[in-house]
Amino acid sequence: MTDPNAIQPSALDQLPDRDPEETAEWQASLDAVAKAAGPHRAAYLMRRTLERAEGAGIALPKLLETDYVNTIPTAAEPSVPGDEEMERRITAWNRWNAAAMVTRGSKHGVGGHIATFASAAWLYETGFNHFFHGKERDGSGDQLYIQGHASPGIYARAFLDGRLDETHLDNFRQEAGGNGLPSYPHPRRLPWLWEFPTVSMGLGPLSAIYQARFNRYLTSRGVKDVSASHVWAFLGDGEMDEPESTAALGLAAREELDNLTFVINCNLQRLDGPVRANFKIVQELEAQFRGAGWNVVKTLWGTAWDELFALDTTGALVRRLREVPDAQVQTYQTRGAAYIREDFFGKDPALAEMAKLLSDDKILECFHLSRGGHEARKVYAAYKAAVEHKGAPTVILAQTVKGHTLGEGFASKNANHQMKKLTVDEFKAMRDLLELPISDSAFTDGQVPYGHPGADSPEVRYLQERRAALGGPAPARRVHPVAPLPAPAEKAFAAFDKGSGAQNVATTMAFVRLVKDLVRDKETGKRWVPIVPDEARTFGMESLFPSLGIYSPKGQTYEPVDRDQLMYYKEAENGQILNEGITEAGSMADFIAASTAYATHGEAMIPFYIFYSMFGWQRTADQMWQLGDQLGRGFLVGATAGRTTLTGEGLQHADGHSPVIAATNPAALTYDPAFAYEVAAIVKDGLRRMYGEAAPGEDQNVFYYLTVYNEPLPQPAKPAGLGIDEGIVKGLYRFNTAESAGLTVPANAPRIQLLGSGTAIHWALSAQRLLADEWGVAADVWSATSWSELRRDALDADAALMRGEERVPFVRQALQGAEGPVLAVSDYMRQVPDQIAQWVEQDWSSLGADGFGLSDTREAARRHFGVDAESIVVAALAQLVRRGEVKTSAVKEAREKYGL
């Protein structure tokens, strides 16, 4: 394995050496110590020498930094295959059309970003022409995480390629009328082009790491060999401030993901100013990535700087580049040669002498234009070094100018991220700079024209030939024709229909038991991807360790402490479980990669990610939105759910709101099952819908969120009768009536409908008995498996009504004819059941666990929130009092009787 922290010899070649003989003597001394006393003694002496140098104030780069020069000097650059002039012309057209698209759209007030792609154009073009593999060979190709603000440039290239036309470009950020282009990479909005949503900043780099890791997982498990796939993540230097951007750097290095390359566009600007005004972001990132174990390639200066480095015989230039802060580099970009001579060169006598040898034009060429990220040869050399490096991921730090080629009004200006258009005169100057054959007459009525050399032009033929050689267009998303997965054996689900008898079983355990059976299925078992963030034993999943194994690229290099036990901790190269440690964000990134493998790799995988429900949506809802945007499929399982069911852990663990957050996500189907047979029915239907034969009009690109509980309770048999499975899936069915429950009530007893979800149905059942035995009230109990699906169906019915179609919401159909008022209860805040209130024809009331959680027994917590059986009885009597069906004093009597 190559040491990623080693300073490449080619980098040292750029540093001037005034006395090579003395240098050789020092090196020989070090070699002699290592030979005579061993490498440890040599390392000790080097550490003490560096400490002494630091204490003496000798200016040295930090040990994790190299000097502010290119990692690969010009002399070591490989030649670029292909036609560099042709690629320059293609890039010029892309620059033009990207700027034209945003400028034309600005007349409609839709905005857009011009400056980002202007700085990154060569970073993309070099990749498209020489590195990025398409999907037409193996169905996978490379995975490209495009920097969101650069999307106009990607659209511009697709326009040149013939995949988009002027109508599409004119509908940039205008999607309502059709033929529109989304603002950023949104697979749900443009699913044939975009694979990965990247503009919730920080999620792109995190997802890219776990995508590269998941590629290794697929290969190691023998599902599909995707070892030829490379993951490219294009990022901004400002984006690296997001904690998610660097959260998994250690994982990538630890697992030696050399199938991953980060390309960070270091234009030194974030949205409103410099990224590191008084410091140097490139140096900071280099140290951070080297420290994490990555291979770092710096591409900072263009070839115009070669003459300056050649003149630097004292090292003064390298020292000055190292000390100038980023904000001052930006200032040089906007100032004339005289200012640069005085402020940059004038700080050191040796540099002042060097400046005398340089013309003003040369100084301006270097400081205004010549950056490594703007030259195909520099970028090609960096990319080639990245894909050839083995044993560690690579980050390329490419220095660019934000707003490059857009004119003096844009380049390096603090406000350029918010500047949405160029004037006609600025476009004409840009045209001349880029040498594009666009006449003045093409600017009709002040409108900037799009430019295209022609479908049969040399530029387009070259572009298409390069893409054909690399495996087809990119970026591109493909959903390959894959036969629906066969349904697992019915017995896996039917086993739960008979209930648990005398044994109490928590729904968390019921779900785990179901998965144990499903992963044994000969047809689909290998496609399950269990994901858990270091809580497997909490959820009763440790029994899966020896049978499935925990994925590790190293296998198991140690003897586990519990090897003599039946459920020992087993790691394996082909392990099926992804046990991620304490990282919900990493686990969600796993889930996203697995849930979209049907498109990324043409392999349907069935991920389930089980987590403390409090730490799912609350902590990573942004990624769950990313999951929906990326059209992911799978099962999210919020375990230890409910505000009163997880006792003792207190406020931070007491989830009373995850279904509220989940309900905001259009792709999430949220269920709160009460019984084991409901869990089985929901999972069975989810497998059918997402992976099997979906019904006509049913969207397969959804994911399921199930809340399951850690409270062992009786699991009844599935009630007999028609429509139970339909009710479970649609969200509501009657579990029993007072009569079918064997309760004795008067013939004309007042009646109420109790709707409960999850563990709350057990409180409702207890309340049902109290109401009958102590108050002569008949209560029917309903299981509301999904409040949000009932609401979604009702909203669809409302929308149908607006179209002139008559459709009755399912919740209204189910409750039709049910006598008395409705009282709903859950272990969540009241607005969870209140989602359906407006579509219920009966009098409505609800109970819930609103407010902060607390540590106590389950019984005390439920009494505190007023959701226990006795509280339900009092609330039910209050509703019936309002209707005049029980005596007014009943509520007071009940409160005193139950100590409320």
Side-chain angles (χ1 to χ4, degrees):
M1 173 180 170
T2 304
D3 180 3
N5 290 324
I7 299 174
Q8 293 83 350
S10 56
L12 296 174
D13 291 342
Q14 298 174 84
L15 308 181
D17 190 345
R18 291 186 296 181
D19 193 340
E21 185 176 345
E22 182 183 30
T23 302
E25 290 175 358
W26 275 77
Q27 292 171 336
S29 297
L30 182 63
D31 292 342
V33 170
K35 184 177 180 180
H40 295 295
R41 176 61 180 170
Y44 172 82
L45 291 175
M46 287 299 300
R47 283 198 301 271
R48 298 307 298 266
T49 302
L50 289 169
E51 289 170 5
R52 183 63 172 264
E54 184 177 354
I58 298 174
L60 283 172
K62 295 177 182 177
L63 289 179
L64 292 174
E65 295 178 14
T66 61
D67 278 297
Y68 206 65
V69 296
N70 294 349
T71 302
I72 305 170
T74 302
E77 291 169 4
S79 59
V80 181
D83 188 332
E84 290 187 59
E85 172 57 25
M86 187 68 71
E87 292 176 19
R88 185 198 66 79
R89 281 151 49 190
I90 292 170
T91 306
W93 286 115
N94 292 340
R95 289 180 182 278
W96 178 272
N97 288 319
M101 179 195 327
V102 176
T103 297
R104 288 166 69 119
S106 68
K107 294 187 176 182
H108 304 286
V110 296
H113 300 287
I114 301 177
T116 294
F117 177 72
S119 67
W122 275 113
L123 302 181
Y124 291 105
E125 193 59 36
T126 303
F128 285 130
N129 286 325
H130 302 288
F131 292 94
F132 304 158
H133 291 97
K135 293 181 174 291
E136 293 179 358
R137 288 181 179 170
D138 62 2
S140 294
D142 288 351
Q143 288 80 58
L144 309 181
Y145 289 77
I146 303 295
Q147 190 180 0
H149 292 150
S151 60
I154 308 304
Y155 291 140
R157 198 173 200 276
F159 170 65
L160 208 64
D161 194 13
R163 295 198 287 166
L164 295 174
D165 58 29
E166 289 192 14
T167 302
H168 291 110
L169 301 192
D170 268 344
N171 283 292
F172 174 58
R173 291 193 172 195
Q174 299 172 75
E175 300 178 75
N179 289 323
L181 300 179
S183 52
Y184 302 127
H186 290 307
R188 187 169 285 275
R189 288 300 182 207
L190 202 62
W192 60 267
L193 180 71
W194 298 121
E195 276 197 287
F196 307 107
T198 53
V199 182
S200 184
M201 288 196 180
L203 299 191
L206 179 68
S207 292
I209 290 173
Y210 281 90
Q211 181 66 57
R213 198 284 198 87
F214 188 73
N215 290 357
R216 290 281 176 83
Y217 171 88
L218 284 180
T219 301
S220 297
R221 287 196 52 219
V223 176
K224 182 180 181 181
D225 185 355
V226 295
S227 55
S229 291
H230 199 89
V231 178
W232 300 83
F234 288 83
L235 317 168
D237 47 1
E239 181 178 6
M240 301 311 294
D241 283 346
E242 289 284 4
E244 295 89 350
S245 294
T246 55
L249 298 186
L251 167 72
R254 184 170 66 246
E255 300 203 1
E256 301 178 5
L257 298 180
D258 49 27
N259 60 338
L260 170 68
T261 297
F262 276 15
V263 181
I264 302 181
N265 178 15
C266 298
N267 56 36
L268 313 186
Q269 287 184 258
R270 49 188 173 203
L271 305 190
D272 294 315
V275 179
R276 294 289 183 273
N278 295 298
F279 306 94
K280 301 189 80 63
I281 185 61
V282 169
Q283 300 299 88
E284 179 181 319
L285 290 175
E286 178 184 28
Q288 191 170 16
F289 278 87
R290 282 191 187 279
W294 286 52
N295 175 46
V296 179
V297 177
K298 294 198 292 191
T299 303
L300 307 180
W301 308 112
T303 53
W305 283 82
D306 289 349
E307 180 181 341
L308 276 67
F309 286 122
L311 293 171
D312 182 27
T313 58
T314 65
L317 177 62
V318 174
R319 288 195 301 272
R320 183 68 177 133
L321 289 174
R322 189 168 66 231
E323 69 188 20
V324 175
D326 283 352
Q328 191 63 24
V329 173
Q330 299 295 83
T331 299
Y332 295 149
Q333 179 70 37
T334 63
R335 300 297 178 89
Y339 178 89
I340 298 171
R341 285 181 186 277
E342 178 182 352
D343 191 84
F344 182 82
F345 293 97
K347 302 294 185 182
D348 185 288
L351 290 181
E353 289 300 313
M354 178 193 296
K356 294 176 182 179
L357 303 176
L358 303 174
S359 67
D360 285 355
D361 287 344
K362 182 64 178 180
I363 289 175
L364 294 179
E365 180 187 14
C366 289
F367 284 84
H368 285 193
L369 301 173
S370 188
R371 299 292 186 274
H374 295 324
E375 294 189 15
R377 295 179 65 84
K378 304 293 185 186
V379 176
Y380 180 87
Y383 286 7
K384 189 171 187 293
V387 297
E388 292 178 353
H389 186 84
K390 300 304 177 186
T394 293
V395 59
I396 295 168
L397 303 175
Q399 186 162 268
T400 66
V401 175
K402 193 167 186 177
H404 184 58
T405 73
L406 297 180
E408 294 182 0
F410 264 83
S412 290
K413 294 298 177 64
N414 282 341
N416 63 17
H417 190 80
Q418 304 301 326
M419 296 163 69
K420 311 299 183 186
K421 60 185 178 180
L422 278 70
T423 66
V424 169
D425 287 342
E426 287 171 329
F427 266 109
K428 289 179 178 179
M430 180 182 176
R431 170 201 61 189
D432 296 341
L433 176 66
L434 298 176
E435 300 177 349
L436 291 172
I438 299 173
S439 65
D440 286 352
S441 62
F443 293 81
T444 57
D445 299 323
Q447 178 83 299
V448 57
Y450 294 120
H452 200 293
D456 195 40
S457 65
E459 293 93 330
V460 172
R461 288 201 306 272
Y462 181 88
L463 181 155
Q464 294 175 341
E465 287 168 2
R466 292 305 309 145
R467 289 310 317 154
L470 288 166
R477 182 179 182 274
R478 297 283 186 270
V479 179
H480 307 277
V482 177
L485 295 183
E490 179 64 26
K491 65 179 182 181
F493 305 103
F496 295 88
D497 291 351
K498 61 185 179 182
S500 62
Q503 182 183 11
N504 289 345
V505 177
T507 50
T508 296
M509 185 54 63
F511 177 82
V512 172
R513 288 182 183 178
L514 175 62
V515 169
K516 286 180 184 178
D517 290 338
L518 293 176
V519 296
R520 295 191 187 103
D521 186 84
K522 292 181 179 179
E523 296 290 335
T524 60
K526 72 174 184 178
R527 297 192 175 274
W528 283 86
V529 183
I531 303 167
V532 59
D534 200 36
E535 293 285 358
R537 297 183 191 276
T538 300
F539 307 135
M541 291 176 60
E542 66 271 23
S543 62
L544 297 177
F545 289 171
S547 58
L548 300 184
I550 299 166
Y551 170 72
S552 169
K554 297 289 188 182
Q556 193 151 34
T557 61
Y558 60 92
E559 182 178 354
V561 67
D562 54 0
R563 183 64 182 85
D564 57 342
Q565 298 178 18
L566 181 62
M567 294 184 289
Y568 70 97
Y569 195 86
K570 176 186 174 184
E571 296 189 77
E573 290 183 45
N574 63 347
Q576 193 164 350
I577 300 169
L578 292 173
N579 191 2
E580 291 301 6
I582 305 175
T583 168
E584 285 84 5
S587 299
M588 268 306 301
D590 268 337
F591 188 91
I592 292 170
S595 70
T596 54
Y598 72 92
T600 309
H601 295 299
E603 294 287 346
M605 305 300 288
I606 311 171
F608 80 85
Y609 164 33
I610 187 167
F611 49 87
Y612 266 60
S613 66
M614 184 66 165
F615 305 137
W617 286 87
Q618 174 167 299
R619 181 166 290 187
T620 58
D622 195 11
Q623 287 178 285
M624 289 157 177
W625 195 269
Q626 178 191 12
L627 166 66
D629 195 0
Q630 201 167 317
L631 293 82
R633 305 170 183 173
F635 297 95
L636 296 175
V637 183
T640 59
R643 181 147 284 167
T644 70
T645 304
L646 179 62
T647 57
E649 300 285 359
L651 184 151
Q652 287 188 320
H653 287 64
D655 173 23
H657 54 280
S658 69
V660 178
I661 307 174
T664 66
N665 192 310
L669 278 62
T670 303
Y671 287 90
D672 187 24
F675 305 123
Y677 66 80
E678 292 178 354
V679 173
I682 293 164
V683 172
K684 177 183 176 181
D685 192 69
L687 290 172
R688 174 200 61 79
R689 177 170 178 173
M690 294 185 291
Y691 301 99
E693 296 286 356
E698 219 172 20
D699 185 5
Q700 283 190 284
N701 298 318
V702 295
F703 60 92
Y704 284 63
Y705 175 52
L706 281 71
T707 49
V708 292
Y709 299 81
N710 70 331
E711 182 176 13
L713 289 165
Q715 295 298 328
K718 182 191 291 187
L722 298 175
I724 298 296
D725 284 341
E726 179 189 29
I728 292 172
V729 171
K730 288 192 171 182
L732 183 67
Y733 69 97
R734 185 159 54 192
F735 177 71
N736 69 14
T737 64
E739 292 77 11
S740 68
L743 301 175
T744 301
V745 291
N748 296 317
R751 188 171 291 270
I752 189 168
Q753 309 299 318
L754 302 180
L755 277 58
S757 69
T759 195
I761 202 169
H762 295 278
W763 323 331
L765 289 169
S766 296
Q768 179 189 44
R769 182 167 298 278
L770 290 174
L771 284 166
D773 293 348
E774 300 181 7
W775 304 97
V777 172
D780 301 338
V781 175
W782 299 69
S783 180
T785 54
S786 179
W787 308 101
S788 62
E789 283 305 291
L790 292 173
R791 176 180 175 82
R792 186 169 290 164
D793 170 79
L795 290 172
D796 288 345
D798 287 354
L801 186 63
M802 295 295 291
R803 297 191 299 267
E805 305 169 16
E806 287 291 339
R807 189 164 76 76
V808 180
F810 178 79
V811 63
R812 189 168 294 169
Q813 295 177 45
L815 290 171
Q816 187 174 13
E819 297 178 34
V822 168
L823 174 61
V825 61
S826 80
D827 203 10
Y828 297 95
M829 53 201 308
R830 287 176 60 179
Q831 70 188 76
V832 174
D834 283 350
Q835 292 179 83
I836 66 170
Q838 71 185 82
W839 293 280
V840 174
E841 294 182 318
Q842 291 87 346
D843 292 340
W844 173 271
S845 185
S846 64
L847 297 174
D850 287 77
F852 289 113
L854 75 166
S855 300
D856 212 311
T857 65
R858 291 187 178 112
E859 292 76 15
R862 286 162 187 167
R863 177 58 59 91
H864 170 81
F865 286 109
V867 293
D868 60 350
E870 291 80 5
S871 298
I872 294 172
V873 170
V874 172
L877 292 173
Q879 278 188 284
L880 293 170
V881 165
R882 287 194 292 271
R883 293 166 60 90
E885 296 182 17
V886 301
K887 59 183 181 180
T888 305
S889 61
V891 174
K892 183 174 184 294
E893 292 174 14
R895 288 181 58 81
E896 291 175 352
K897 179 181 180 70
Y898 301 132
L900 296 177

